[in-house]
Amino acid sequence: MLAHLPHTWSRAALCLGAVAALALPTPAQARPMVLVFHQVGTAGGASLGISPEALRHRVETLRRLGYRFVTSSEAARAPAGERVAVIQFDDGFESVYRLAFPVLRELGVPGTTYVIWSRLNRPGSLSAAQVAELRAAGWEVGTHSHSHAALADLSPGGLRRELAPGEEAGPQTAQCVAYPLNRHDARVRREAARQGLNCGVAGGPPPLTRADPMALPAPAITPWDDTLLPLRTRWGVDARTPLLAAGLLLPALDGLGTAHPLAAPPRTWNAAHYELLGNGLITAAWRGERDTRLAWREGRWSVNLAARRGVGPGQAAYTGLGAALNLAPVTLAAGLDSGGPLVGGALALGGYGEVWARASRVGGEWFWAWGGTLIPVDYVQLSAAQDRAGTQLGLRAALPWQSGEGRPLRVGGGYRWGEGAGPYAELEYRVGSYSVAAEVSRGRRFGVRLTAVW
């Protein structure tokens, strides 16, 4: 094990600094307020449904707060400092036309609906005639992809197929895309721009700076928005905010005040995470040790945090925090960890993934690592990572089940050499932008990983 940490507060300071910068909300400035719903006339909350009466109340509340209602593409072009709001409906349900359209027309509010084009004209979905009528009334009709695929899991060919304008969209092509399941990355955003789309909507809390027009934030709705909406508009509070704060505070407070040996950095941690990053992610894993990762993107910059706790018999700990700048196709990173400075870099692989490297000095010793992620075909991911302690190779694939919901069931496995040597297998299930994964490795060692992306 490495030398003992001379000041146990340093690792807490790294985490608490990230909390202050990312998790704690700041007064919202020039951030479009995007309210995203799916069905109309169904239960609210996690179902993303809303009743016509509640919809009217939300519009009236935002108007009292000084918001002007616009479409998605207008929000992406809105001047800094202007309060604009978007009423958005994903998936293209027929109930939007039947129940939401009359309410918003009466209130003089344009809506934006994102259509899954393979479902157009099907029972329960919008028809081509209804889409044309909404457009004529001042609504924006965007794309929610061709088949509601998990875009961040697709190869370049799959992305072109899902994002290319099709004949079913009619003569007026879409300007904006709502990323299905809130899953996107730099590859997805680039392909959307290549296909002529000039704005995109993702989930998650608002950025600290001006929003990226290709990834406008859309904070998750809650059952309590009738009460919380004024607070959310002022502070940018999102349903993920408690998860974000807890994910940072727990490793910061874990073992605080007690001297622990220094652990090596996590083998698979990419301090220059950008190419395969949306607007952010947080993951917490338990596999004999406790491993927390956070990534947050602001334009061409990203902040990446890794925290290991309870490593080995000595309960060793590690914390690393890096800032990365994307200079496509290269991303460069620098930061600090438990032992001093760290540096890293990544190289995009032409839309198929990335390779990365990282080096830092911990306990007087240099620790290096390199790895990569490759997406050769749709819904298949190959990964590799190597450091001084060993090597890891993995394969993950999505089962061809519920393709219209991004194939939420994933299976994978691989082999580790060196530290933690032996085979492992994992099973992952996704619900929208959240996922839970279970791993079994040699010696019946069991692990769990929870992840939220936006």
Side-chain angles (χ1 to χ4, degrees):
M1 202 61 69
L2 304 180
H4 281 261
L5 183 64
H7 299 289
T8 59
W9 296 94
S10 63
R11 61 185 176 87
L14 288 174
C15 290
L16 292 173
V19 170
L22 303 178
L24 299 181
T26 56
Q29 297 178 358
R31 297 165 183 163
M33 172 55 63
V34 182
L35 298 184
V36 181
F37 309 103
H38 287 61
Q39 286 269 28
V40 183
T42 61
S47 71
L48 298 179
I50 190 171
S51 69
E53 296 76 17
L55 178 62
R56 180 186 298 272
H57 183 70
R58 305 282 167 84
V59 170
E60 292 170 346
T61 298
L62 288 173
R63 271 191 169 151
R64 286 195 301 270
L65 294 170
Y67 279 83
R68 178 174 68 91
F69 288 90
V70 297
T71 63
S72 289
S73 59
E74 291 171 334
R77 301 190 301 267
E82 185 176 7
R83 287 191 165 192
V84 295
V86 178
I87 303 297
Q88 174 179 322
F89 302 94
D90 287 355
D91 294 354
F93 286 109
E94 188 268 343
S95 62
V96 172
Y97 174 85
R98 181 168 47 86
L99 298 175
F101 181 37
V103 171
L104 297 183
R105 180 172 52 191
E106 178 185 340
L107 295 171
V109 171
T112 301
T113 183
Y114 287 93
V115 176
I116 303 170
W117 297 108
S118 63
R119 302 181 190 177
L120 190 69
N121 295 318
R122 290 185 181 179
S125 296
L126 290 169
S127 67
Q130 290 168 338
V131 166
E133 185 175 347
L134 291 173
R135 279 175 167 156
W139 280 47
E140 181 170 351
V141 178
T143 179
H144 204 34
S145 80
H146 177 73
S147 68
H148 203 253
L151 299 177
D153 294 323
L154 302 185
S155 65
L159 288 175
R160 289 191 293 271
R161 181 181 64 252
E162 289 290 332
L163 293 172
E167 296 180 359
E168 65 274 14
Q172 187 173 349
T173 58
Q175 297 185 58
C176 290
V177 55
Y179 303 113
L181 313 169
N182 294 330
R183 295 182 179 271
H184 63 103
D185 58 24
R187 306 173 312 116
V188 175
R189 297 188 294 270
R190 286 197 302 268
E191 186 59 38
R194 289 192 194 102
Q195 297 298 333
L197 298 162
N198 53 42
C199 67
V201 181
L208 303 178
T209 57
R210 186 170 177 82
D212 179 355
M214 293 306 298
L216 296 174
I221 66 172
T222 74
W224 311 281
D225 273 354
D226 285 338
T227 302
L228 295 179
L229 200 54
L231 179 66
R232 294 179 59 193
T233 58
R234 177 169 176 76
W235 296 100
V237 175
D238 174 69
R240 296 175 183 83
T241 300
L243 296 175
L244 191 60
L248 288 164
L249 287 171
L250 288 177
L253 301 176
D254 188 353
L256 186 63
T258 304
H260 292 282
L262 288 178
R267 180 181 301 163
T268 59
W269 181 45
N270 175 11
H273 192 22
Y274 187 92
E275 176 72 0
L276 301 180
L277 177 64
N279 283 346
L281 71 83
I282 185 165
T283 179
W286 298 266
R287 190 175 58 85
E289 63 184 67
R290 303 174 293 282
D291 187 336
T292 303
R293 313 277 180 94
L294 167 73
W296 182 286
R297 186 180 70 90
E298 294 277 335
R300 293 166 55 199
W301 290 87
S302 68
V303 176
N304 299 283
L305 170 73
R308 294 180 79 190
R309 301 289 184 265
V311 181
Q315 298 293 292
Y318 171 86
T319 302
L321 179 66
L325 174 63
N326 178 251
L327 304 170
V330 174
T331 302
L332 302 176
L336 295 172
D337 65 9
S338 300
L342 68 86
V343 293
L347 175 66
L349 300 177
Y352 286 95
E354 67 179 350
V355 292
W356 56 267
R358 182 197 70 241
S360 62
R361 192 169 177 81
V362 180
E365 301 177 76
W366 280 101
F367 274 78
W368 56 267
W370 71 272
T373 300
L374 182 66
I375 305 173
V377 296
D378 295 348
Y379 292 111
V380 173
Q381 185 179 99
L382 303 173
S383 62
Q386 184 178 45
D387 62 9
R388 284 182 17 173
T391 303
Q392 175 175 325
L393 296 177
L395 168 67
R396 182 183 304 166
L399 298 182
W401 173 69
Q402 290 193 347
S403 294
E405 293 300 326
R407 300 188 181 183
L409 187 59
R410 314 297 171 94
V411 295
Y415 198 91
R416 298 184 179 102
W417 290 266
E419 184 181 59
Y424 69 92
E426 66 176 24
L427 181 68
E428 179 185 25
Y429 186 74
R430 295 180 175 181
V431 180
S433 57
Y434 301 90
S435 67
V436 57
E439 178 189 303
V440 178
S441 57
R442 186 175 181 178
R444 298 183 180 178
R445 193 179 184 186
F446 182 76
V448 176
R449 183 180 68 250
L450 304 177
T451 304
V453 302
W454 58 90

